[in-house]
Amino acid sequence: MYMQNKRVVAIHDLSGVGRCSLTVIMPILSAMGVQACPVPTAILSTHTGGFGEVAFQDLTDYLPQALAHYQRLGLDFSCIYSGFLGSEAQIDHCLAFFKAYPSALAVVDPVMGDHGKPYRTVTEGMRRRMVELVSIADVITPNLTEAYILLGEPYQPMPLTRAQAKSMLARLSEKGPQKIVITGVSRAEGNMANIGYDQEHNYYWCVPCDYVPVSYPGTGDIFAAVLTASFLIGDSLPIAMSRASRFVEIAIKTTFSYGGDTRFGVMLESAMPFLMQREVPQNFHLL
Ligand code: PXL
């Protein structure tokens, strides 16, 4: 019998240095037993978070060509997974990918900002298009900044009460996706958490995480990649959230323990063995 690992179209940029986007997503998907089929949106020498002027090659026009080829081949995919996108045209090409494979799991990581601020590249037009992309997604993984941007509301630095957190998840799910995970939420109860909502079962979930006083690029990409692969190997939402949170925590703590320049991201290579253990983390509770 011919066994085929599940195939994921991963539509992200390829940044050579700094451990984000495809350079972390591809090894994570592979380690978890799913096949990454990258569709790079651009090639950069480094990510854009602090290395000065980057070498940059835009690949926007490549996206529809790759889709057309896959359609000619009659290839099937289990999942389409998009992340950081640089223009409205790129978002439109992603929409075409999602529409071409309606039965594939549609994962949108709406990468648009962090720490209360949108990235420089994000225009009002892109925000509206990103809401459109979110509306056809099954799963979305905004951080708190992106959740506010998607809702069109000003960022609130205050910790969220349980009721506010649930309301935010519910309002995001009204935009279309069945599963919402918001990362990096500071809670009025005093801890940090990743929170989630499963519209189908109407359950709200919370995975508490330790606060570490540094921030590394790429951790949102790592979280979303583990979450995506977890769904494809059959995990429930809270188990997928626990697995992704635990892996990010291991990667951050390992890296922090050595100190050093945060621009290079987390020590993914040292944390990888966790992904191959297939333990079933249970660090979740109802929100
Ligand atoms: O991790 C998000 C991301 C992805 N791709 C590029 C980035 C960033 C964040 O800064 O610069 C090129």
Side-chain angles (χ1 to χ4, degrees):
M1 192 176 80
Y2 175 61
M3 194 191 118
Q4 176 67 61
N5 294 91
K6 286 186 172 169
R7 280 195 206 105
V8 181
V9 170
I11 312 175
H12 305 258
D13 61 272
L14 180 64
S15 294
V17 166
R19 294 195 186 94
C20 71
S21 45
L22 283 177
T23 60
V24 296
I25 291 163
M26 292 179 60
I28 288 171
L29 296 180
S30 300
M32 294 182 68
V34 299
Q35 185 189 346
C37 303
V39 177
T41 56
I43 301 176
L44 295 86
S45 47
T46 68
H47 60 63
T48 58
F51 286 110
E53 199 174 318
V54 298
F56 175 80
Q57 194 79 54
D58 181 67
L59 292 175
T60 303
D61 294 340
Y62 166 73
L63 270 59
Q65 292 174 37
L67 173 59
H69 188 199
Y70 296 152
Q71 288 184 303
R72 280 200 306 279
L73 290 170
L75 282 180
D76 214 3
F77 296 99
S78 303
C79 173
I80 312 290
Y81 162 32
S82 72
F84 182 93
L85 296 167
S87 63
E88 289 185 49
Q90 287 192 352
I91 300 179
D92 286 341
H93 294 320
C94 279
L95 277 165
F97 255 103
F98 284 112
K99 287 180 179 163
Y101 296 97
S103 57
L105 181 72
V107 180
V108 173
D109 185 7
V111 180
M112 288 190 288
D114 210 352
H115 308 295
K117 294 199 189 77
Y119 295 136
R120 268 175 302 136
T121 47
V122 179
T123 61
E124 178 50 30
M126 280 180 69
R127 188 194 74 83
R128 268 188 268 113
R129 279 291 210 291
M130 193 58 97
V131 171
E132 212 178 307
L133 201 58
V134 157
S135 76
I136 60 158
D138 299 309
V139 181
I140 62 166
T141 57
N143 61 30
L144 190 63
T145 304
E146 291 152 356
Y148 278 113
I149 296 174
L150 289 173
L151 289 170
E153 295 173 11
Y155 180 78
Q156 303 288 339
M158 295 292 287
L160 296 184
T161 64
R162 191 165 156 266
Q164 285 170 327
K166 287 173 97 164
S167 151
M168 206 158 185
L169 288 163
R171 281 178 291 128
L172 283 170
S173 83
E174 281 163 15
K175 295 196 179 290
Q178 292 88 0
K179 291 187 175 67
I180 320 285
V181 179
I182 307 179
T183 56
V185 174
S186 133
R187 302 182 66 220
E189 285 76 5
N191 58 0
M192 293 290 294
N194 298 320
I195 59 172
Y197 177 51
D198 184 344
Q199 193 186 50
E200 187 190 348
H201 303 105
N202 196 27
Y203 280 143
Y204 293 84
W205 299 102
C206 179
V207 178
C209 29
D210 284 350
Y211 174 74
V212 179
V214 280
S215 141
Y216 296 96
T219 50
D221 300 334
I222 292 172
F223 181 92
V226 178
L227 192 86
T228 299
S230 295
F231 285 135
L232 294 171
I233 61 174
D235 284 346
S236 66
L237 174 63
I239 291 176
M241 286 171 61
S242 291
R243 195 184 296 287
S245 305
R246 181 87 189 100
F247 184 66
V248 170
E249 186 176 288
I250 291 169
I252 288 180
K253 281 189 174 169
T254 302
T255 314
F256 185 58
S257 77
Y258 287 94
D261 189 338
T262 57
R263 293 177 304 170
F264 291 97
V266 293
M267 296 166 68
L268 182 81
E269 305 77 15
S270 303
M272 286 306 272
F274 169 82
L275 290 180
M276 288 164 230
Q277 285 167 15
R278 296 293 158 81
E279 82 174 52
V280 183
Q282 310 263 305
N283 186 26
F284 57 82
H285 58 79
L286 283 169
L287 179 66

